[in-house]
Amino acid sequence: MAGLAQLYRKPLLRFFARRAMTPEAAEDCVQDVFVRLARVAEADVENTEAYLFKVARHVLIDRARRASVRREGQHDSIADVQLISPEGSPSRILEGREALEQAAKALRELPERTRNIFLLNRLDGLTYTQLSARYAVNIKVIEREMGKALSHLRQRLADHDQR
């Protein structure tokens, strides 16, 4: 199999490149060809090169079908979208700092256990099940604590936005 990959990788890349594929997409397709080839016993294949390019055509067709179903042609590239100004305006930076300070203040107002459960879930990624095991409580208690924390934060941050 490694010998086939070395021998046919470049011809397959050219095959896909001639069909207006990006180099990355062509590499993915070549990988798909060899994955499919690995599933077939070599003894079952009479003409390896013909079989390889037949599989390549099928990979191309499958990719086109997937793109059609997903309507990939109608998507905007995220690379073209500038989400954040590289410099950030001073007023935007100030607003961000104030919001962060307000969130920290609202968190400090919570009872210690509620705050810790919230932070362990949101910052450390612990699940409700893991939190219930850590605190030796029922999962409903964790849900209630998270609900209290989220409700409090929503209220306090909404109060801050209305000012």
Side-chain angles (χ1 to χ4, degrees), residues 15-33:
F15 173 84
F16 290 117
R18 281 193 304 266
R19 279 134 184 100
M21 289 192 127
T22 65
E24 296 82 16
E27 283 286 351
D28 289 345
C29 287
V30 169
Q31 182 72 24
D32 287 346
V33 168

Side-chain angles (χ1 to χ4, degrees), residues 33-103:
V33 168
F34 287 115
V35 166
R36 290 182 186 192
L37 188 64
R39 294 180 187 150
V40 176
E42 285 186 46
D44 295 342
V45 179
E46 290 178 26
N47 183 343
T48 306
E49 184 172 344
Y51 183 76
L52 216 74
F53 283 95
K54 181 179 178 182
V55 171
R57 281 190 301 279
H58 287 281
V59 166
L60 199 60
I61 291 167
D62 289 349
R63 211 176 230 300
R65 283 182 186 149
R66 236 178 287 124
S68 173
V69 168
R70 293 177 182 166
R71 293 183 164 76
E72 288 178 3
Q74 298 174 1
H75 295 205
D76 292 328
S77 172
I78 193 141
D80 301 337
V81 178
Q82 187 172 359
L83 299 175
I84 299 174
S85 167
E87 297 169 9
S89 69
S91 64
R92 180 69 183 116
I93 292 170
L94 181 62
E95 287 174 13
R97 284 185 181 153
E98 287 176 353
L100 192 57
E101 287 171 13
Q102 191 63 30

Side-chain angles (χ1 to χ4, degrees), residues 113 117 127-146:
R113 182 171 107 166
I117 288 172
T127 64
Y128 285 15
T129 306
Q130 292 168 326
L131 288 166
S132 69
R134 176 177 267 194
Y135 284 92
V137 294
N138 189 308
I139 201 163
K140 293 289 184 189
V141 174
I142 299 299
E143 291 172 352
R144 199 168 35 251
E145 294 290 334
M146 286 296 292

